[in-house]
């Protein structure tokens, strides 16, 4: 089997590996058809921050075809198309027991705590998989996980009907959130420094470009998907009094926020950790967005090209929002 293996900071290798392990009760073998590169994959590549084991096969945005099951697998059978629920909670804490594993204090992800989707196949518990409609292209299925994150961010933002929204960052989550908000009838202003992505989202999602130099944003709702300290500092200055900010990006620096602004202007700031119960909603939404999603996808790329795709994304030369790897090549289901 061919797989990408993460050995440490800056070290990922595509190489032949031992076949996936024999199945245990309740586990499923999945042939990977499409796997997306996430910003957290790049963050781990640069820092190793969330990796709990090495070597490990990264990749948590994956779709594929069931090839084998063992025991009770919640009705999954060979031939089913599935997508992975990326979250791996402890299963014991109050958050997990209340159906909120995304708030588990020891939350991990497929591709970090266990092998993930940058391989020709993966073995996962049936409880970690959701069935996709048989007629859904598997390239779209691989977007269900990031789309669920974007939906969760939009739900946390909870904008009033018809409100103007500022989205900071036109990457995968920011771009998908902007697309969802536009589909729901909101005017969306996008703060994005990559001119190519700004133009892409203006064309596909109907967003309006926003300059960092613009002093009056005039928006009560701001969704940040950059995780960039200067952007958060700017947003705290520009959001309207009584406004709400949702933070959905991963931070590499600690922002220098004047908390007197938060107090005196009654600004509400909410975080986003992965997604809650939005994965089925994301799957149901995909057919409505199909053609637009295709315009946002780069790929299919061969598994052997994964290190080069990492380099392009880190260098900021990729305009498309989601880079997809096809570890087994493409099929009619792609």
């Amino acid at each position: 089997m061919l797989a990408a293996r993460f050995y440490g900071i800056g070290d990922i290798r595509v190489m032949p590996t031992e076949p996936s392990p024999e199945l245990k009760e309740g586990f499923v073998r999945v042939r990977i058809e499409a796997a997306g590169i996430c910003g957290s994959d790049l963050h781990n590549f640069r820092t190793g921050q969330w990796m709990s084991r090495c070597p490990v096969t990264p990749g948590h945005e994956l779709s594929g075809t069931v090839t084998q099951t063992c025991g009770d697998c919640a009705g999954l059978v060979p031939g089913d198309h599935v997508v992975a629920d990326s979250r791996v909670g402890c299963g014991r804490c109050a958050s997990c027991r209340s159906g909120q594993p995304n708030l588990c204090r020891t939350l991990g992800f497929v591709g970090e705590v266990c092998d993930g989707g940058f391989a020709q196949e993966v073995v996962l518990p049936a409880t970690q998989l959701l069935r996709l409609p048989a007629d859904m292209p598997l390239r779209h299925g691989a977007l269900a996980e990031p789309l669920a994150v974007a939906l969760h961010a939009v739900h946390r933002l909870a904008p009033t009907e018809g409100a103007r929204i500022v989205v900071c960052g036109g990457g995968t989550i920011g771009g998908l959130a902007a697309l969802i908000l536009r589909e729901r009838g909101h005017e969306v202003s996008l703060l994005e420094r990559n001119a190519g992505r700004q133009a892409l989202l203006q064309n596909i999602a109907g967003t309006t470009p926003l300059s960092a130099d613009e002093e009056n944003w005039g928006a009560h709702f701001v969704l940040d998907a950059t995780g960039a300290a200067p952007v958060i500092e700017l947003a705290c200055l520009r959001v309207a009094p009584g406004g709400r900010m949702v933070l959905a990006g991963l931070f590499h620096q600690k922002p220098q926020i004047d908390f007197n602004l938060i107090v005196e202007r009654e600004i509400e700031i909410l975080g986003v950790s992965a997604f809650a119960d939005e994965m089925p909603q994301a799957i149901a939404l995909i057919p409505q967005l199909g053609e637009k999603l295709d315009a946002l996808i780069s790929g299919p790329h061969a598994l052997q090209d994964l290190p080069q795709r990492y380099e392009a994304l880190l260098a900021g030369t990729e305009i498309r929002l989601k880079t997809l790897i096809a570890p087994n090549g493409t099929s009619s289901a792609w």
Side-chain angles (χ1 to χ4, degrees):
M1 180 180 75
L2 200 63
R5 302 290 280 169
F6 176 81
Y7 278 85
I9 295 172
D11 185 2
I12 192 164
R13 314 171 199 174
V14 180
M15 57 197 296
T17 66
E18 295 295 321
S20 296
E22 290 300 313
L23 297 188
K24 298 185 293 186
E25 172 74 23
F27 277 70
V28 176
R29 192 182 309 277
V30 179
R31 170 189 161 98
I32 303 298
E33 307 292 353
I37 301 175
C38 176
S40 63
D41 294 319
L42 303 177
H43 184 81
N44 278 327
F45 178 72
R46 290 192 292 179
T47 69
Q49 180 175 352
W50 296 303
M51 292 302 196
S52 60
R53 50 180 277 196
C54 277
V56 68
T57 297
H60 60 268
E61 301 174 0
L62 63 96
S63 65
T65 304
V66 173
T67 59
Q68 186 183 4
T69 63
C70 181
D72 182 4
C73 289
L76 292 175
V77 297
D80 281 346
H81 292 170
V82 292
V83 62
D85 180 335
S86 59
R87 308 165 301 171
V88 182
C90 71
R92 301 180 301 275
C93 69
S95 294
C96 286
R97 286 187 282 107
S98 66
Q100 296 176 297
N102 61 310
L103 301 182
C104 176
R105 287 185 178 272
T106 61
L107 179 67
F109 289 88
V110 172
E112 296 172 2
V113 301
C114 65
D115 286 338
F118 295 149
Q120 291 181 304
E121 66 176 32
V122 69
V123 169
L124 291 170
T127 54
Q128 212 77 38
L129 299 168
L130 288 83
R131 186 184 285 107
L132 294 171
D135 60 350
M136 179 178 290
L138 286 165
R139 66 184 184 277
H140 293 169
L143 295 178
E145 197 270 2
L147 189 60
V149 177
L151 274 169
H152 188 49
V154 168
H155 293 163
R156 295 281 284 165
L157 189 65
T160 54
E161 185 176 354
R164 176 170 169 265
I165 317 294
V166 168
V167 173
C168 302
T172 304
I173 304 305
L176 290 176
L179 182 57
I180 292 166
L181 288 163
R182 288 289 295 138
E183 292 287 319
R184 295 184 177 184
H186 293 278
E187 177 188 349
V188 177
S189 296
L190 179 67
L191 183 69
E192 168 56 54
R193 65 183 179 182
N194 184 310
R197 282 192 171 176
Q198 182 72 267
L200 177 66
L201 286 165
Q202 186 174 3
N203 181 47
I204 301 301
T207 58
T208 302
L210 179 68
S211 168
D213 296 328
E214 194 170 324
E215 293 188 4
N216 182 17
W217 286 4
H220 282 79
F221 299 94
V222 175
L223 192 160
D224 176 75
T226 68
V231 175
I232 301 303
E233 293 161 13
L234 181 67
C236 286
L237 289 170
R238 302 287 168 79
V239 66
R244 181 180 302 139
M245 293 172 49
V246 162
L247 310 184
L250 298 173
F251 285 82
H252 301 284
Q253 307 169 273
K254 294 181 179 179
Q256 299 297 311
I257 296 174
D258 180 357
F259 279 90
N260 283 329
L261 286 174
I262 312 302
V263 173
E264 293 167 0
R265 301 175 68 189
E266 294 193 354
I267 298 170
E268 186 177 3
I269 300 180
L270 302 174
V272 171
S273 176
F275 53 93
D277 56 358
E278 285 88 1
M279 183 75 89
Q281 299 169 47
I283 293 171
L285 182 60
I286 285 173
Q288 175 184 331
L289 303 177
E291 291 185 10
K292 292 180 179 180
L293 294 179
D294 276 336
L296 304 178
I297 290 172
S298 168
H301 297 281
L303 183 58
Q304 294 89 332
D305 294 339
L306 181 72
Q308 290 72 36
R309 293 299 93 211
Y310 268 39
E311 290 175 9
L313 289 164
L314 288 168
T317 58
E318 177 56 70
I319 292 175
R320 301 291 182 96
L321 270 59
K322 180 55 59 181
T323 297
L324 291 182
I325 304 297
N328 290 289
T330 58
S331 67
S332 59
W334 169 268

